Amino acid sequence: MRGRVLVVDDERRQRDILQMILEAEGYETTAASNGRQALQAAGAELFDVVLTDLKMPDMNGIELLSELPKPPAGPCVILMTAHGTIDSAVDAMRKGAFDYLTKPLEKDELLLTLRRAMERAYLMRENRMLHEQLRDRFRLDNIVGAHGTMQDVFRIVHKVASSTSTVLIYGESGTGKELVARALHHESDRRGRPFYAVNVAALPESILEAELFGYEKGAFTGAEARKVGLFEQASGSTLFLDEVGDLKRDLQVKLLRALQEREILRVGGTERIRIDVRIVAATNHDLEKAVREGRFREDLYYRLNVIPIALPPLRDRRTDIPLLVDHFVAKYAGGRKRSVSDEALKALVAYDWPGNVRELESVIERALLLGEGDRTQPADLPAAIRSGLGARRGLMDLDIPESGIDIEELERSLIVKALEKSSGNVSRAARLLGLSRRTLQYRLEKIQGAPEGAPPAPKGAGGP
């Protein structure tokens, strides 16, 4: 089959002739006698091309064109028109029609135009599919990242989401720990239940205990009725414990018991309550160090650290900044066509982002709200970001075309420039890029496996 065509004409003889010609050429055809029938057919089946007469009663070809979904989701539309209505056909092309044919139709012209329309429909659909695949590759439930470390995070999330194992997410403030926790929930079989979250560092110990485990009536002054805690509420779902490294020792014991026994006691209660909760915890602390210093229980650490996920700071994945900028511009543009200038983007990539992705999001939202034009300029950015524009200009002086940038090529260019600047010393190049030596070595190994354009293996790469 060469493609699916919907033939729309109010003259039966014309429809029959067109169907016979097209089916003899291998096209699968459906016929409709008017625009209303055509819309019903297009709503029930997917067509590559709609071949429609221009002048029809009730709904003409231009009205049908305006009602059909536009490519790539919808079909390409070819109009058939008499000589006296060519102006209308040209107007229809301005409104999105692929082409028009004049009656009486020439068979060769008909088949040539149809073949071109089929090729266009196929290419647009393929392009859309590739864009969706690219988007899915670099996104996970509102998390954006093409960098290798983020791709590792995505792979772990996909792999472990359906399990019940406890996950511990490490990362600085603002790196997106709760977003990863939510992604784990929404990728799991528990997605039908609400996601529960609590920041254990934000509540006093007495209130936090009641919040997590609930309490019985009369358990303390003011406990006038039974309260069901988060562990019970989240049974059958996911409970996210943010900043778990700040948990006090007494509550560490109770959390350990809940994880080991899969049951809890309400404050002031004696009845043990069975729970089925998937725990995802997060911290910006070094828990191994906290264990060595006696501030965090070793047995609880091992219970939580079953599946560790480490989120890199934004300064260690600068090549993701253009992707994130595009994401936040789309989020806060309010339907307007907004963009970021090359100079502003260079300043954003050069900045160290102590507040990580959360800070970048705030900066983009502010720039879009306060900026005068449709294109964000360096003047629209905070002074701290503008002041760093020249610091890395030699490294960041890359061309950014209007059509967008190739993230992998940008990363490759940055690494090549840094290695040239540091005479091939990986440690110095890593410092220039704001990366750890291990991260840069990882990216070098990936690049050197590329088919072409990779930088040569640096000499003396082991130097400090």
Side-chain angles (χ1 to χ4, degrees):
M1 186 182 72
R2 300 180 67 176
R4 296 173 60 82
V5 183
L6 175 60
V7 178
V8 190
D9 200 304
D10 58 324
E11 294 182 16
R12 180 171 181 175
R13 190 174 186 298
Q14 183 77 3
R15 292 198 308 272
D16 291 345
I17 291 172
L18 287 170
Q19 277 195 281
M20 183 178 65
I21 292 172
L22 298 183
E23 288 176 356
E25 293 292 323
Y27 295 106
E28 183 178 334
T29 65
T30 300
S33 60
N34 56 57
R36 299 293 175 196
Q37 281 188 11
L39 285 177
Q40 289 177 357
E45 300 180 60
L46 292 175
F47 294 96
D48 301 299
V49 175
V50 172
L51 180 63
T52 179
D53 194 14
L54 180 62
K55 297 193 73 174
M56 295 183 293
D58 188 31
M59 175 183 280
N60 64 37
I62 293 179
E63 291 170 333
L64 173 60
L65 171 67
S66 66
E67 292 290 329
L68 288 167
K70 300 295 183 286
C76 288
V77 177
I78 301 172
L79 288 156
M80 299 177 291
T81 178
H83 285 287
T85 54
I86 288 178
D87 288 344
S88 297
V90 173
D91 180 55
M93 289 184 66
R94 293 194 189 102
K95 294 178 179 176
F98 175 75
D99 207 342
Y100 69 92
L101 298 168
T102 55
K103 294 181 177 180
L105 301 179
E106 294 285 341
K107 179 181 175 181
D108 289 344
E109 184 184 12
L110 166 66
L111 295 177
L112 177 61
T113 304
L114 185 60
R115 185 161 58 248
R116 287 174 45 238
M118 284 290 176
E119 290 171 356
R120 172 78 175 276
Y122 173 77
L123 287 173
M124 291 183 73
R125 200 159 291 152
E126 185 181 53
N127 189 49
R128 183 188 185 201
M129 182 177 68
L130 289 172
H131 273 292
E132 288 177 350
Q133 288 174 350
L134 189 66
R135 180 198 64 201
D136 292 341
R137 180 185 167 198
F138 293 158
R139 293 172 188 261
L140 176 68
D141 199 46
N142 289 320
I143 310 169
V144 178
H147 195 275
T149 54
M150 292 306 296
Q151 292 301 296
D152 291 342
V153 170
F154 292 176
R155 280 191 288 273
I156 294 171
V157 169
H158 285 304
K159 201 165 187 177
V160 307
S162 59
S163 76
T164 59
S165 299
T166 304
V167 177
L168 182 57
I169 305 169
Y170 297 90
E172 295 177 7
S173 179
T175 50
K177 297 188 291 295
E178 184 168 345
L179 284 178
V180 172
R182 289 182 180 275
L184 283 162
H185 175 71
H186 290 299
E187 291 275 321
S188 75
D189 297 335
R190 298 168 181 252
R191 69 179 71 90
R193 294 289 317 278
F195 173 84
Y196 294 85
V198 61
N199 187 323
V200 302
L203 297 173
E205 185 176 0
S206 57
I207 296 176
L208 179 61
E209 182 179 7
E211 190 71 19
L212 290 174
F213 303 106
Y215 54 79
E216 297 288 353
K217 180 179 179 180
F220 49 81
T221 303
E224 298 177 356
R226 172 186 288 173
K227 174 183 171 61
V228 174
L230 285 172
F231 269 96
E232 285 182 78
Q233 294 176 47
S235 194
S237 187
T238 305
L239 176 57
F240 176 54
L241 304 177
D242 197 9
E243 303 305 346
V244 72
D246 292 315
L247 203 61
K248 304 299 183 196
R249 292 283 295 191
D250 287 349
L251 280 180
Q252 289 180 31
V253 174
K254 294 184 178 182
L255 176 58
L256 176 63
R257 186 181 301 121
L259 292 174
Q260 285 178 332
E261 308 298 333
R262 296 289 173 181
E263 61 183 27
I264 62 162
L265 278 174
R266 298 192 190 105
V267 177
T270 56
E271 177 190 358
R272 296 192 176 275
I273 301 162
R274 296 294 298 174
I275 54 169
D276 171 24
V277 180
R278 205 274 179 85
I279 296 294
V280 179
T283 183
N284 60 11
H285 296 305
D286 182 345
L287 286 192
E288 287 189 7
K289 181 180 179 183
V291 168
R292 291 194 301 271
E293 295 175 352
R295 293 181 287 108
F296 201 86
R297 291 183 62 98
E298 184 176 23
D299 43 8
L300 177 58
Y301 168 70
Y302 289 121
R303 280 286 175 182
L304 291 173
N305 199 48
V306 177
I307 301 171
I309 296 179
L311 291 183
L314 189 52
R315 63 184 174 275
D316 281 3
R317 56 180 185 111
R318 293 180 191 275
T319 50
D320 278 345
I321 291 174
L323 273 179
L324 288 160
V325 168
D326 285 347
H327 175 70
F328 294 134
V329 167
K331 180 177 179 179
Y332 293 110
R336 291 173 56 193
K337 188 175 181 181
R338 306 292 295 272
S339 62
V340 175
S341 72
D342 295 354
E343 284 297 298
L345 185 58
K346 289 175 185 177
L348 292 168
V349 174
Y351 184 59
D352 275 341
W353 300 106
N356 292 296
V357 179
R358 186 184 295 134
E359 184 185 5
L360 174 60
E361 180 175 7
S362 176
V363 165
I364 297 301
E365 182 181 11
R366 172 188 179 276
L368 294 179
L369 285 172
L370 300 181
E372 296 296 330
D374 290 337
R375 196 166 176 78
T376 297
Q377 302 295 337
D380 300 320
L381 303 176
I385 296 175
R386 294 199 308 273
S387 66
L389 185 59
R392 295 174 183 257
R393 187 177 297 274
L395 178 63
M396 295 304 303
D397 194 15
L398 302 174
D399 290 332
I400 302 176
E402 290 296 325
S403 59
I405 58 175
D406 183 323
I407 297 298
E408 291 183 0
E409 185 57 36
L410 173 61
E411 181 177 40
R412 186 193 305 273
S413 299
L414 286 169
I415 290 173
V416 169
K417 283 178 178 287
L419 287 170
E420 289 173 352
K421 206 173 179 67
S422 61
S423 302
N425 186 295
V426 174
S427 296
R428 285 183 57 206
R431 285 196 293 272
L432 283 172
L433 291 167
L435 303 176
S436 68
R437 188 184 188 284
R438 182 177 177 183
T439 299
L440 179 55
Q441 193 67 53
Y442 170 80
R443 300 311 302 158
L444 272 171
E445 289 169 4
K446 291 198 73 172
I447 287 173
Q448 301 215 2
E452 59 182 42
K459 296 178 180 178

